[in-house]
Amino acid sequence: MHQPYDTRYVEDRSPGRGRLAPRAAFTSDAPGIGLDGEWRFRAAAGLGDLTPGFEGPSFDDSVWDRMPVPSCWQLQGVGSPAYTNVTYPFPIDPPRVPDENPTGEYRRDFTLPDGWPAGRDVLRFDGVDSCFAVWLNGVRLGDGKGSRVPTEFDATRALRPGRNVVAVRVHQWSAGSYLEDQDMWWLSGIFRPVRLLSRPEGCVEDFFVHADFDHTTGTGTLSVDTSGPARLSVPELGLVDADPAGPHTFADVEPWNAEQPRLYEGELTAAGERIPVRIGFRRIVVQDGLLQANGRALLLRGVNRHEWDPETGRTLSYETMLRDVLLMKRHNINAVRTSHYPPSSDFLDLCDVYGLWVVDECDLETHGFEQVGWRGNPSGDERWREAMLDRMRRVVERDKNHPSILMWSLGNESGTGENLAAMAEWARTRDPSRPVHYEGDEDSGYVDVYSRMYADHAETERIGRGEEPPTRDPSLDAHRRGLPFILCEYAHAMGNGPGGLSEYQRLFETFPRLQGGFVWEWIDHGIARRTEDGRVYHAYGGDFGEPVHDGNFVADGLVLPDRTPSPGLLEYKKVIEPVTIGFGDGRGVEVRNGHDFRDTSHLRFRWWAEDDGERVGEGVLDVPVLAPGERSSLPLPELVPRKEAERALTVVAELAAPELWAPAGHEIAWGQSVLAPAASAPEPDRALPAASGAGGRVTLGPAVFDAFDGRLRAVGGLDVGALRLDLWRAPTDNDLLGDRVADRWRAAGLHRLTTKVLGVRATDEGLTVRTRTAPAGADHAVLATYRWRSDGRGLWLDADIAPEGAWPCPLPRVGLAFSLPGWIDTVDWYGLGPGEAYRDTTAAARLGRYRHTVDELQTPYVRPQENGNRRAVRRALLTGAGGGLLIGGLPSYDLTVRRWTSADLEAARHTTDLVPGDRVHVHLDVAHHGIGTASCGPGPLPQHTSGAGPVALRLVLRPR
């Protein structure tokens, strides 16, 4: 009879039993067997629903389901995903977890090939969430916790020739779950690869590459600690069959950095195996108050990156990881914080090869304890020390040989306590070559950089000036003031946004102590789902019936769930570009090299001039090679004489030759200057009087108005639906969260406005309409006067808009809205583009002529919200099969064109809720409230808010 299983390990604080000591991740020519693929699987409800004897080789699992390994079982139809940001989805009662503890029982067999070498055999799991026990041929090897760090077991005594059976029992909840309260979906299973590894007699169990670089002499020093006898060869360095310990010195080595990730290929040879080794020489120090690499201060242009795929969750293919790295490099990103756990080793390999600085973070977060006043927080409880130290050891040991790793991070949002200090001390002792990071150490007593989250612009500037408030302890205060400052999270990229990036970057570039930061975050964690008719949308918190969830707060990335770059990523690319191109007084071109290490010899500078968007000249700008930090001023290129047109000069820096991460011609940076504005817009050739007609209509040139309310109804026979003053927008995530400006908008009644016509007057000059727009129950309002004129072909509008009374809030937008027939499907415009932009997200928009379909103008944010605005439009042509309408700005306006109303956007939960109607809805705005980053961080800066004040909108409309 089968004995009951001992499952005490599930609620034991121990990190596991029977595990091997952590070591570096590496490949070798020693044999191995990949155990990925289909496993037999049974879902159990909890510890009271386990299958007796399932681990036995003869157990009949033929009726069990199948489960791919690696995968997350909730995304394979077993159970449901759940998303929380802070709140634990179970009672805080450490180390206990609920009896309702979904459990997965896995089995698979494999055949040991003939000739398998003698020695030790290791069963390796790269990632299992959150706790598991392992058997091989019925022999229990051990158990483990620590979902995103590897666990290895000695399989030697249980492995046998021929058929073998491995069985794994995985529990969703465990004591380890209290250490894994990261802002992400709760998903379970064997989600990273599994392998059986032969460790032959005479193999190298572990090694540590030390590759130092002295920037003052160019000398590289190499030594490799090995666990056993081995020889080292690095042919490029003339090193052949040498003692790895060295130390070996080399004159004039090329150092590794994120801009020029120079790797030397080597090999460790032992009696039992050959191991490829990649070596990058570099030196990381905190010196003179700055974080330095190879003698130069760094400016981190970073992102926080969770591992995510909308179909497979935290199980990522190599191709997906490569796509992330290429997207980052192509958008000028130079650093990644691995929030909030170490990523797949493959990702770090890619960072080594392609060049990204990495802040490698331990798999640790206890944020939910904040909701109970940090009572019982493991960070300060000695009983949890070994579990926390174990996680740190496994990160450092696995990843220590990656030159891309800039710092070790203790984890995230886990309060503070002696266990974290012990982790920092262990990491610093084991690897003195890298600084230690942890944002939660407010006094920075046990870390090497001062790190913060979401400090607003004003506070960030005070820190840059060294004027931040003192800490309680004078000695710690002096220590912290001597440290470099990094925003480990800022600019929360949730929905439409983030705004204010340019202002942050100017601070980073002004104050040396401010060494950049990491935008939160890289990707929206939407889960791909399909409607009955096959349309794809992305689910977020609450879509799976979770009793506790944080909604779409999980959709806060610079790329959409399918890795389409959002407008926020394009804005970030422009803001952080490593070369800046300016125009000073407009009489010359000024170029500055903002790279940390690289000169500009890899770049080509092209220019072109446009008159009203038409190209009138182009060429190559002869920019001298600039070292990092150098500037150059050049005269403007010679241009053809300008007629009465707006002339813009654009200069771009692009790759002159292919790089590993992008083709030749890839754009790195750009600058643009309007050298001469357009001539003043013409007035009507002649003014036609407005004439009343039958049916309550008033005609004015090509236009028809309603005689009662003065609203424009048609232009040149084109139906114009209900033109009106518009002050509302579908709130963005940043409007709804943080300072909750959308609540103030609603309290002011801006979502339920009514309009009173104060006068409609036809004159010899045209038609004048006066209105008062206000919410019920309030005495604040907006007065508008519309003066319409026509010369018979076009229609001119002068709209003067002014507040009345004391407005209690800024206005979401100020402009005009109307609709056109649904056959309108294309927009050609001359203005800023090509992508969406708002007043504090305009850096990436440049003046030009663009053409999009109405559908292409939309940004499909996971939760629908205000989007698609094009700024500073001089003129736009809206066309379709039945004709069109030309709208000119005097001088410009903001333009939004979509197939649904703001109310439709606001009501929708997912993109598939937006169903096109029979009208196209047009917004012509003179003002828009900024975007900011208030979903987690500051709202719009004062200069980007839309206060209630008088504004004017000048337009000309012509039918086409």
Side-chain angles (χ1 to χ4, degrees):
M1 183 175 179
H2 185 270
Q3 296 298 316
Y5 292 105
D6 183 354
T7 58
R8 287 176 293 179
Y9 64 92
V10 174
E11 295 186 337
D12 193 326
R13 294 181 180 85
S14 164
R17 294 176 178 81
R19 304 167 308 138
L20 295 174
R23 63 193 180 102
F26 59 88
T27 60
S28 81
D29 64 355
I33 300 174
L35 298 179
D36 295 350
E38 280 198 343
W39 291 46
R40 290 291 186 175
F41 178 84
R42 174 183 175 268
L47 301 186
D49 185 29
L50 305 181
T51 304
F54 93 111
E55 71 279 10
S58 60
F59 178 84
D60 182 5
D61 59 16
S62 60
V63 298
W64 281 21
D65 295 326
R66 297 181 184 273
M67 178 67 64
V69 169
S71 71
C72 305
W73 73 53
Q74 290 88 350
L75 299 184
Q76 299 296 323
V78 177
S80 295
Y83 164 62
T84 62
N85 171 28
V86 178
T87 305
Y88 287 105
F90 47 78
I92 298 178
D93 184 24
R96 291 188 285 266
V97 293
D99 294 334
E100 298 83 8
N101 189 357
T103 294
E105 296 177 327
Y106 293 78
R107 281 175 52 89
R108 76 155 290 167
D109 60 12
F110 63 93
T111 300
L112 196 69
D114 295 338
W116 189 262
R120 187 160 66 156
D121 305 298
V122 173
L123 188 59
R124 179 182 178 87
F125 294 82
D126 281 328
V128 183
D129 192 318
S130 73
C131 170
F132 67 114
V134 182
W135 291 259
L136 180 60
N137 297 322
V139 178
R140 193 179 193 278
L141 302 184
D143 56 76
K145 302 184 189 75
S147 297
R148 284 152 285 277
V149 284
T151 305
E152 292 185 329
F153 301 95
D154 189 338
T156 311
R157 63 190 174 97
L159 192 67
R160 61 194 187 193
R163 179 178 181 266
N164 290 263
V165 176
V166 60
V168 184
R169 183 174 282 135
V170 180
H171 309 276
Q172 178 165 11
W173 309 124
S174 69
S177 301
Y178 285 98
L179 304 180
E180 297 175 4
D181 188 31
Q182 291 96 336
D183 175 10
M184 61 186 183
W185 292 97
W186 295 91
L187 299 173
S188 316
I190 305 172
F191 70 94
R192 285 184 184 160
V194 183
R195 287 183 62 83
L196 179 71
L197 304 173
S198 171
R199 309 306 301 138
E201 294 176 358
C203 72
V204 174
E205 293 289 356
D206 194 14
F207 63 93
F208 195 168
V209 176
H210 306 277
D212 187 42
F213 176 73
D214 185 343
H215 71 278
T216 63
T217 64
T219 300
T221 304
L222 175 63
S223 64
V224 182
D225 302 333
T226 59
S227 60
R231 308 299 289 176
L232 175 66
S233 296
V234 187
E236 275 191 279
L237 297 174
L239 202 63
V240 178
D241 198 33
D243 178 2
H248 306 283
T249 59
F250 310 96
D252 299 321
V253 299
E254 297 175 60
W256 190 100
N257 61 68
E259 295 166 6
Q260 294 171 296
R262 180 64 160 97
L263 293 171
Y264 292 85
E265 301 289 341
E267 185 176 76
L268 279 172
T269 305
E273 65 183 342
R274 305 173 78 88
I275 303 169
V277 179
R278 282 177 170 153
I279 298 161
F281 291 92
R282 84 284 186 282
R283 180 183 293 177
I284 310 299
V285 297
V286 174
Q287 185 173 307
D288 300 326
L290 298 174
L291 176 64
Q292 300 181 28
N294 305 334
R296 293 181 179 271
L298 296 176
L299 182 57
L300 300 178
R301 303 169 169 94
V303 292
N304 287 272
R305 175 187 177 268
H306 271 287
E307 292 191 304
W308 187 253
D309 183 282
E311 302 281 355
T312 59
R314 282 196 290 279
T315 300
L316 270 63
S317 68
Y318 181 86
E319 292 73 22
T320 297
M321 290 183 255
L322 175 58
R323 188 177 177 189
D324 277 347
V325 169
L326 293 178
L327 277 170
M328 290 176 188
K329 292 291 292 185
R330 291 171 184 174
H331 288 86
N332 295 330
I333 289 163
N334 72 355
V336 180
R337 177 178 175 228
T338 68
S339 53
H340 297 295
Y341 44 81
S344 164
S345 293
D346 287 341
F347 180 78
L348 298 177
D349 288 340
L350 291 166
C351 293
D352 292 341
V353 171
Y354 288 88
L356 287 167
W357 294 112
V358 177
V359 177
D360 197 5
E361 195 147 272
C362 185
D363 188 10
L364 174 66
E365 181 166 338
T366 66
H367 200 173
F369 282 91
E370 182 182 45
Q371 295 183 327
V372 294
W374 295 108
R375 292 187 302 275
N377 181 23
S379 298
D381 186 338
E382 189 174 358
R383 293 173 296 177
W384 290 93
R385 181 164 301 176
E386 178 54 31
M388 293 174 65
L389 280 169
D390 175 78
R391 289 171 182 247
M392 197 70 212
R393 284 193 290 262
R394 287 154 74 188
V395 174
V396 172
E397 298 294 1
R398 189 196 75 164
D399 298 342
K400 58 187 177 246
N401 294 323
H402 289 282
S404 58
I405 294 177
L406 176 68
M407 292 188 282
W408 302 114
S409 182
L410 306 181
N412 184 68
E413 293 177 319
S414 296
T416 190
E418 290 303 314
N419 295 341
L420 287 159
M423 293 166 65
E425 181 60 27
W426 182 90
R428 194 177 287 110
T429 300
R430 176 60 172 142
D431 179 21
S433 72
R434 293 181 175 99
V436 173
H437 167 274
Y438 177 63
E439 178 269 342
D441 180 12
E442 295 182 0
D443 292 338
S444 303
Y446 50 81
V447 295
D448 301 306
V449 296
Y450 178 26
S451 178
R452 286 283 307 281
M453 294 180 181
Y454 305 108
D456 64 22
H457 300 81
E459 183 181 6
T460 299
E461 181 172 352
R462 288 194 295 272
I463 293 169
R465 295 181 181 278
E467 297 173 356
E468 69 269 28
T471 65
R472 296 182 297 274
D473 185 320
S475 62
L476 286 177
D477 183 64
H479 166 71
R480 194 180 74 177
R481 289 178 189 276
L483 297 180
F485 178 77
I486 290 170
L487 276 168
C488 68
E489 293 180 23
Y490 81 112
H492 196 250
M494 186 177 179
N496 187 336
L501 287 170
S502 296
E503 290 81 2
Y504 271 117
Q505 194 67 19
R506 280 198 286 272
L507 293 172
F508 299 158
E509 294 172 357
T510 300
F511 300 101
R513 186 190 187 192
L514 306 180
Q515 293 195 248
F518 299 82
V519 168
W520 186 268
E521 65 166 305
W522 174 241
I523 189 169
D524 288 339
H525 300 206
I527 294 178
R529 286 293 180 262
R530 289 162 178 82
T531 61
E532 291 183 0
D533 59 358
R535 292 176 297 146
V536 176
Y537 67 96
H538 291 98
Y540 48 80
D543 284 337
F544 299 95
E546 311 100 300
V548 177
H549 66 84
D550 285 289
N552 68 312
F553 203 71
V554 77
D556 48 11
L558 290 170
V559 297
L560 303 179
D562 64 359
R563 285 178 163 75
T564 298
S566 76
L569 180 58
L570 302 180
E571 179 83 355
Y572 193 42
K573 176 188 177 181
K574 171 60 180 169
V575 166
I576 62 174
E577 58 191 11
V579 173
T580 54
I581 301 169
F583 296 88
D585 57 8
R587 290 180 290 185
V589 181
E590 298 179 353
V591 180
R592 177 184 177 274
N593 181 9
H595 286 93
D596 292 332
F597 301 94
R598 197 172 192 181
D599 67 28
T600 59
S601 58
H602 65 299
L603 299 177
R604 175 175 58 232
F605 292 82
R606 291 194 304 114
W607 67 267
W608 61 83
E610 294 171 312
D611 285 354
D612 283 351
E614 291 284 351
R615 191 163 295 192
V616 295
E618 59 187 309
V620 175
L621 201 62
D622 187 15
V623 179
V625 174
L626 302 176
E630 282 192 336
R631 301 173 182 268
S632 179
S633 295
L634 300 96
L636 293 177
E638 292 188 13
L639 303 174
V640 300
R642 181 183 72 95
K643 297 181 180 180
E644 291 188 355
E646 183 173 39
R647 170 159 291 178
L649 176 66
T650 304
V651 177
V652 302
E654 63 186 23
L655 292 180
E659 300 267 334
L660 185 61
W661 45 271
H666 171 75
E667 186 176 286
I668 300 295
W670 61 272
Q672 187 179 66
S673 177
V674 175
L675 300 180
S680 299
E683 291 291 310
D685 294 338
R686 57 196 176 98
L688 295 180
S692 299
R697 295 184 175 184
V698 174
T699 61
L700 179 62
V704 176
F705 295 83
D706 187 290
F708 173 73
D709 58 20
R711 285 187 177 178
L712 179 65
R713 297 298 184 182
V715 179
L718 180 66
D719 177 24
V720 177
L723 186 144
R724 69 193 186 282
L725 180 69
D726 189 22
L727 306 178
W728 181 251
R729 74 183 186 199
T732 67
D733 292 320
N734 289 308
D735 296 335
L736 291 167
L737 301 172
D739 61 5
R740 305 182 70 91
V741 68
D743 288 352
R744 287 184 283 150
W745 292 343
R746 287 194 177 92
L750 283 167
H751 61 307
R752 50 178 180 82
L753 298 172
T754 59
T755 296
K756 171 68 176 176
V757 177
L758 302 180
V760 178
R761 185 165 61 95
T763 70
D764 290 342
E765 296 295 318
L767 182 70
T768 299
V769 180
R770 295 185 302 109
T771 64
R772 184 180 189 273
T773 300
D779 61 359
H780 50 264
V782 172
L783 300 176
T785 300
Y786 309 92
R787 296 180 180 86
W788 297 96
R789 294 174 293 158
S790 177
D791 62 0
R793 293 176 292 110
L795 185 66
W796 274 256
L797 169 63
D798 294 334
D800 293 300
I801 303 164
E804 179 183 65
W807 271 88
C809 61
L811 301 176
R813 73 186 331 146
V814 181
L816 303 179
F818 58 92
S819 68
L820 295 173
W823 46 256
I824 293 287
D825 58 14
T826 303
V827 180
D828 293 84
W829 79 97
Y830 171 54
L832 298 185
E836 94 180 10
Y838 293 78
R839 62 195 297 166
D840 57 350
T841 62
T842 306
R846 63 191 182 207
L847 184 62
R849 292 180 65 175
Y850 305 100
R851 178 185 177 92
H852 282 347
T853 67
V854 172
D855 294 336
E856 288 169 341
L857 290 170
Q858 315 310 310
T859 302
Y861 294 115
V862 170
R863 186 193 70 81
Q865 56 198 273
E866 167 63 38
N867 74 90
N869 187 64
R870 266 59 182 181
R871 292 208 74 206
V873 174
R874 277 66 161 166
R875 60 180 178 271
L877 178 61
L878 286 61
T879 57
L885 180 66
L886 178 68
I887 307 171
L890 307 173
S892 68
Y893 55 90
D894 280 14
L895 173 69
T896 309
V897 185
R898 54 173 71 111
R899 297 195 179 279
W900 31 76
T901 66
S902 294
D904 294 334
L905 270 177
E906 187 175 359
R909 283 179 46 83
H910 299 100
T911 53
T912 48
D913 296 333
L914 293 169
V915 179
D918 59 0
R919 305 290 292 177
V920 166
H921 301 275
V922 181
H923 298 265
L924 310 176
D925 293 314
V926 66
H928 242 295
H929 190 67
I931 296 297
T933 179
S935 55
C936 194
L941 287 162
Q943 63 266 34
H944 298 310
T945 60
S946 182
V951 294
L953 183 61
R954 307 284 186 256
L955 303 170
V956 58
L957 286 69
R958 288 192 176 94
R960 297 295 290 266

